[in-house]
Structures are given as C-alpha cells and as structure tokens.
Amino acid sequence: MKRLAFYAFLIFFTLAAPFLLPDYKTQLATLWLMIIVAIAWDMTGGQMGYNSLGNIFFYGTGMYVAALIAIAIPFDVGEYTNAFSDKIYKFTDTEYFLGAFVGILGAGVFCAISALVIGYITFGLRGPYFAIGTLGVAIAAGELVSNWEWAGGGQGISLPVFPYDLELGKIMFYYMFAGTGVVLFLFARWLYKTRFGAAINAIRDDEEKAEAMGIHTLRYKLTAWSMSAFFVGVAGGISAFQLIHFEPLETAYQTINLGIFMVVCVLLGGKGTLWGPVIGAILFHLFKEVTWNYLLGWQWVALGVLIVVTVVYFKDGITGWLKLVRPEWFGIRVEAKSQRSPAS
Amino acid sequence: MTSIIEVDEVSKTFGGVIANNGISLQVEHGCITGLIGPNGSGKTTLFNSIVGYHPIDSGSIKFENEEISKKSVQEIARLGLIRTFQQTRIYSAMNCVQNMLISLPHRKMKLSESFHRHTGSDFDKADALLDFVGLYEKRFLTAGSLSFGQQKLLEFAMALMNEPTALLLDEPTAGINPTLINGLIERLKRANSEFGITLFVIEHNMRVIMNLADKIYCLAHGELLAQGSPDEIRNDPRVIDAYLGAN
Ligand SMILES: Nc1ncnc2c1ncn2[C@@H]1O[C@H](COP(=O)(O)OP(=O)(O)O)[C@@H](O)[C@H]1O
Ligand SMILES: [Mg+2]
C-alpha cells in the first residue's frame, strides 16, 4: 500500500513536473537525461562489473546519427552542413517530426549495433584496461567526427528549432526524456530479475567462475552493453533536437563532462542497485545546478571534492551505505558471528 | 565400459617445473575415479589441463571422444564437463539460493530463454540441492559468511545444479569438519548413482578415496605412479613410499 502510494506520487510528479515548476522545464529534462545515462551506465558498470568510461561515445554518436538521418530525409547532408547563411533550409512540420522520430530511433539502433562491435574488441580487457580502452574509443571518435567535413566538421551541426511555441517544445523534450527514462527504469527493473540479470551479476562477482560454469560470458556482456547503448543513443538523439546546435567535442563527445558525470552519479547513488543511479543522478544534478549557479569559478573544485568524498567515504554510494545500516530493507540476512555453530 | 575422459601422454611444465609428465589415464563413464598423490605432485595441474584452464605442452585430451585440449574453459564447460576449485569459488556477495540460480545450466539455454525469470522449479531445484548438501537452513545467508567447509559444500551443490555429465572435484573434503566427512562421501556417491554424474575426484585423504572411488590413479612428481582398485592402491608399495616419503 505504501509502495503503491509512493509509485503513484512518483508518476504524478513525473507527469506534472513541467507544470509545477514551469521555469525549470529544461533543467528537469536534463535531470532525466542524467537518470537515463546513469541507469544505462550501471547496467554494465554496476551490474556486470565492466566500468566503461566511454559510454559518452553512444551519446555523441546518437546525436550525430539522429541529426544526420533527420537531415538526410529531405536534403543532401553535405550541402546542408556546409551551407553558408545565405542558403536557408526549411523543414516542414512533417519533415521535422518524422525526422526526429526516425532519427532518434535510428540513433538507438545504431548505437546498439556499434556496442556489439566495440564490445567484441574491448571485452577482452579487464578492470582499468577496459575503462581506459573505452575512453580511448570515445576520444578517438570525437576527433574523427570533428574532422569529418561532410558531418559538419568541428563546427558541428545545426538542426531546426521546434516548429511551434518554444515553451511547448520544452515540455515535449521533457516528456521525451522522462518517457525514455521511465521505460529504461522499468526495463532495468525487469531485466535484473531475469536469469540474464543473474548471469551478468555472476560475471561481475567472478567472471572466471562464470566461465567455468559454462555461462556464455561474451554473449551476455555484448547483449548488456548493447541494450545500455541503445538507451544512451536515444538520449543523445533527443538531445540533438533539444539543443538545436551541437559541436563534436564540446557537446556530443564531451568526455570530461557528461562522460564522467554519469559515472559520478552512479558512484554517488550506489553501483549495482536499481535505485542507486536514479538517486545519484538527482543529487548530482541538484549539486551541479547549485554550484554552477552560486559557486561560479569554484564549481569544478566543488565537484572534485564531491567525487573524492564519495569515493573515499561512501565507496558503495548512498544505497550501499543504506544496505549496510538497514540490510533488512534489501532482504539481506547476515548470520551474527556469535551464532555461527562451531561445527562445520 | 567406455571411458568418458581420455588423457593421453599429457605433459605440462611451468618454467623449469615439470608439473605433469606424459600422463595417460581414463575416466570410466558413470564411475567414480580418484586421483591421489602427495602435495605438489601435479593433480590440480592435470585438472586445469583437462578443463582448458591452460594450454598443455603435448598430448591429447578427449571428452566423449572429442578432442578438447585446444578448447577454452567455456567451450569445455558447455560440453558438460564442470570442475570445482581447490580454493573454492562461489559468488560471496550473494546468498546461497542466488548462487544456485546462477549455476543453472546456461549451456542448455537460448539467449531468449535467459530473459525469463527463474521459474518455481528453478527455486525448487535450488532448495532440493541445498538440502542435499545440508545447507538448506543457511540458504538465505550470504555465501561469503559461510565457513570454508560450507563454501565447499555450496560449490558442490552449484556444480550439481549445472547438470554436468562429468564433474571434476578438487579436494572436496578439504576444510570440512571430520565429523561431516562420512556424510559428504555418502552424498558424492549419491550424486554419482542417483544423478548419474561421472565423478573424477582429487583427494588427499586416503581413507576418503578408498571409500569413494571405483578406480584410483596415483601421481608422484608429475608422473603416473600407479593405478588400480582401492585395494591394489592401498597395498602398492610405491604408493606407500610416495606418501611416506612426502610426509
Ligand atoms: N600456475 C603455476 N605456475 C607455476 N608453477 C605451478 C603452477 N601451478 C602449479 N605449479 C607447480 O606445479 C607443481 C604441481 O602443482 P599442483 O598441480 O598444484 O599439485 P597438487 O595439486 O598435486 O598439489 C608444483 O610444483 C607447483 O608449484
Ligand atoms: Mg592441488
């Protein structure tokens, strides 16, 4: 009953948020973006033990794929991206919405497939080597794309603005992120209860044992990363239309910003839990908005302190800490040492 | 009788250490075969070679008439040849039931089937096997909080959950309380007779292996020293020497 009320409140707040806090529509949309990339990161990082630092690749690639598809439907991409201001490209409403729909879905699919390819190469790496290997992929991709003139080069790409009232547009983008986030949350909630969820947990806890038991480790790793990449790609695609203009290094493949933030969110909230990434993303986003607004000039220092404090004092994040002090909330039983029978 | 595992002239060296030197042996289908030998005689190395844990220097290893010496650990495990570890490997952060559920035979599962939840019969099977090894009462405890002996039992139950054709057990009684060893021998025999699993067991404890195995191989200094029935091994002067010499 309590649970039902809790979920009802969450659904109500999710739906009503842009009207309750009309001045913060874009921040709320960004909050959902953070929740999406955090849950998606945790799917491999927390649940499977593969800490990717390169998931931003899927965000950036999602942006580009969505934008290029939307442009390619009505226009020639090379001419569009390299046009001077004298030539105006006008999207009809149909072209805009169809382009957004197909582009965003296409971004998800493209990223899911590219995760299979990148994973096939990088999943031989373990621990820090995997983290650095994936980071390398994201950095290299950003450099390559910024030199790719057909795709706008270092200037990036501009997309048309939302064709109706801009406030309505903000509400639409909010719901697109929120909808994706809710779907991802429910998907993760279901996935972690399946045999697949158990298998990726086994890979995290002892991959060698999992191999010795005949678990198809590579297959599960690729599938998990591919599902995670799909959602990050979709989020990137939505961002492309929300931001209107994006650059390859500052916006799309922003390794040191969003690429790191998503990891910090999960560490803050607690790795390998369903709610950890969500809680972490909310706290992180609040922290970031406050420091970026009130501690200008010191915001990066504050962020660094937050990361250090989290890593040093809350190694398992907020949910991990809760698990420790309230294990019964998580259904964990630990036998008290004194009760353990001396026999066996 | 047909042999299910055939090891033929297998050698394995680590740097200058000759861990296995031209070892040949057969594990009969449906039987319990023992592997004994003093510490450092190369027993675990031979297990590791069989399950593909490391490449062998020379020789051939067949499982159900299929050459497996070039296959990876996972490929061999998926053929139904499973091993347990001398140092026990369990998923220590999870409870016993979760450990069991993870050990379902994934080799028999399509990717689409892995997206099902664990069924009632998965849970029943986990409970039944935990009961079989005597861990039913502890099933909701995190595996890491169990004693070493209990972890060995859990690992054995996990291996049974995997429905292997053949199971290699590396010192299953090590660390188990002596008063419980007879019960464990009984369970190993039942796993063999009731579940039809071929067992190949490394055992340091002579009394245990004499009670358990149909046939015993004895290694010393990386070489096959003797083979035969428990009685033959018990009375083999070379075996007695090797054990006395080592201790
Ligand atoms: N991975 C390894 N690297 C180097 N030497 C090893 C390795 N594994 C085993 N050995 C050596 O091989 C010999 C046989 O070891 P092992 O197979 O573990 O013996 P047992 O299981 O019979 O006690 C020992 O001398 C041991 O030190
Ligand atoms: Mg050994």
Side-chain angles (χ1 to χ4, degrees), chain A residues 277-300:
Chain A
V278 181
I279 296 168
I282 294 170
L283 290 178
F284 177 85
H285 191 58
L286 283 175
F287 178 88
K288 188 172 161 278
E289 286 300 311
V290 169
T291 50
W292 254 247
N293 283 322
Y294 299 105
L295 279 177
L296 213 63
W298 288 88
Q299 73 270 41
W300 284 99

Side-chain angles (χ1 to χ4, degrees), chain B residues 39 43-45 86 170-171 202:
Chain B
N39 264 330
K43 305 181 297 296
T44 298
T45 302
Q86 184 171 358
D170 198 343
E171 305 209 9
I202 292 180

Side-chain angles (χ1 to χ4, degrees), chain B residues 5 29 44 46 79 116 156 162 168 172 186 202 212 234 239:
Chain B
I5 300 171
H29 187 96
T44 298
L46 184 64
L79 295 174
H116 295 181
F156 175 48
N162 205 275
L168 310 192
E186 219 37 58
I202 292 180
L212 189 64
R234 200 194 327 256
V239 176

Side-chain angles (χ1 to χ4, degrees), chain B residues 87-137:
Chain B
Q87 303 305 329
T88 60
R89 290 185 93 143
I90 42 143
Y91 306 107
S92 48
M94 303 182 197
N95 71 28
C96 296
V97 175
Q98 289 167 325
N99 269 276
M100 295 299 286
L101 294 174
I102 284 177
S103 306
L104 279 168
H106 275 252
R107 67 174 181 282
K108 299 179 182 170
M109 241 181 255
K110 293 198 203 84
L111 184 60
S112 60
E113 285 172 308
S114 73
F115 290 111
H116 295 181
R117 287 195 179 198
H118 293 108
T119 61
S121 64
D122 292 346
F123 280 97
D124 291 346
K125 194 178 158 204
D127 283 355
L129 286 170
L130 285 170
D131 189 38
F132 179 74
V133 298
L135 285 176
Y136 185 74
E137 304 297 320

Side-chain angles (χ1 to χ4, degrees), chain B residues 11 25 39 45 60 64 76 85 103 113 142 146 152 154 157 173 176 179-180 208 218-219 222 238 242:
Chain B
S11 297
L25 53 78
N39 264 330
T45 302
S60 139
E64 295 184 313
I76 293 169
F85 292 85
S103 306
E113 285 172 308
T142 49
L146 301 175
K152 285 229 105 151
L154 176 61
T173 65
I176 305 252
T179 58
L180 300 175
V208 171
C218 178
L219 296 188
R238 291 170 300 175

